[in-house]
Amino acid sequence: MATYDVADRSAIVTGAGSGIGKAVALLLAANGAKVVVQDLNEDAANAVVSEIEASGGTAVAVAGDAGATDVIEATVAAAEALAPLKIGVNNAGIGGPAAPTGDYPDDGWDRVLDINLSAVFRNTRAQVKPMLENGGGSIVNLASILGSVGTPYSPAYVATKHGVVGFTKAAALAYAEQGVRINSVGPGYIDTPLLAQMDAEQKAALVALHPVGRLGKAEEVANLVGFLASDAASFITGSYHLVDGGYTAQ
Ligand code: NAD
């Protein structure tokens, strides 16, 4: 597991019960951060906390919708109770319905925007305040390769991920001088439960789009997030970082 300078601080990871968020929570905890494992799925969040504790780390679970104000407040309070909050990884996200724009449902559009974009804004807003009081911090927002290119059947997802990239730049500029760094990450297709609705043929088609010849692993995204979260990334803010096996280089 990669090593990063993230000790003596707490970290919030939303959507940390599965996939990329889980890998990030495990990596940060292994490097000494005290982690709030936030997820809609309470059992999944508790299981990640147990895994961290079994390895000698410190973590607490906060269950609920990452976009809900009361959940966000509870998450920040839980982090500050552990150690000064200096890391926020706003990762919770959903794929939403698969349909071209002409057939795309209103309720699916609204739900994808709520979770993938509005929740990222609300969590960032809540995390910035304690970080300013704590002398700085690092926020990493999960975008996607679909934050810079499109795909025909996920218009809401593509819109939200482009939105995360732009929002991250605006937020970063507001706090650059005060030591709160804010960046976004753009993974290619990563083999997590998010892709569970795809069959083997669809996954093989996705593999073919990645020049490295395979899908990514959650741990490979976590390595980039861990670096951006750490003090080693002290001159990096407002930028969008790809981890995509060459997908967008084509
Ligand atoms: P995943 O489905 O494996 O995990 C997502 C987690 O978020 C789950 O534990 C789920 O319970 C939780 N979650 C969903 N809605 C929530 C909500 N409203 N509040 C709190 N938690 C909620 O997904 P993943 O593949 O690990 O994706 C994580 C992030 O990475 C997402 O933002 C996704 O868009 C992004 N991403 C994923 C891929 C990929 O190919 N897997 C590629 C690019 C970007």
Side-chain angles (χ1 to χ4, degrees):
M1 195 173 274
T3 55
Y4 298 111
D5 185 4
V6 293
D8 306 320
R9 67 200 75 179
S10 65
I12 289 168
V13 185
T14 69
S18 170
I20 293 167
K22 176 180 175 179
V24 170
L26 295 176
L27 178 69
L28 293 176
N31 282 279
K34 299 177 189 343
V35 180
V36 180
V37 176
Q38 199 287 318
D39 205 285
L40 194 57
N41 182 333
E42 186 168 14
D43 291 343
N46 286 334
V48 173
V49 168
S50 297
E51 195 170 333
I52 288 171
E53 288 175 341
S55 308
T58 302
V60 297
V62 175
D65 186 336
T69 302
D70 58 336
V71 174
I72 293 170
E73 285 172 359
T75 303
V76 170
E80 286 277 276
L82 291 173
L85 176 65
K86 292 196 171 191
I87 297 173
V89 180
N90 299 316
N91 161 83
I94 58 171
T101 297
D103 300 321
Y104 208 81
D106 277 334
D107 57 347
W109 177 269
D110 291 344
R111 187 75 186 134
V112 174
L113 261 72
D114 274 351
I115 298 170
N116 290 11
L117 184 56
S118 299
V120 170
F121 152 63
R122 291 192 202 105
N123 279 278
T124 300
R125 180 174 61 183
Q127 292 157 3
V128 158
K129 289 177 188 166
M131 286 183 188
L132 290 171
E133 288 163 13
N134 295 337
S138 173
I139 296 173
V140 183
N141 294 327
L142 262 290
S144 164
I145 48 172
L146 300 176
S148 63
V149 297
T151 189
Y153 301 113
S154 300
Y157 188 88
V158 171
T160 58
K161 296 303 185 179
H162 278 67
V164 166
V165 172
F167 162 70
T168 297
K169 292 176 184 174
L173 292 172
Y175 300 105
E177 280 185 18
Q178 293 150 284
V180 178
R181 298 182 296 101
I182 311 178
N183 291 286
S184 62
V185 162
Y189 286 90
I190 309 301
D191 201 2
T192 74
L194 192 75
L195 304 191
Q197 63 197 40
M198 293 180 184
D199 59 28
E201 197 179 327
Q202 288 171 314
K203 277 197 182 180
L206 284 182
V207 166
L209 296 171
H210 295 75
V212 298
R214 63 175 174 84
L215 300 181
K217 298 174 190 160
E219 293 74 18
E220 292 176 306
V221 180
N223 286 341
L224 174 58
V225 174
F227 169 69
L228 291 170
S230 77
D231 295 341
S234 51
F235 198 55
I236 303 177
T237 196
S239 41
Y240 166 56
H241 304 268
L242 294 161
V243 47
D244 71 353
Y247 186 110
T248 53
Q250 299 170 97

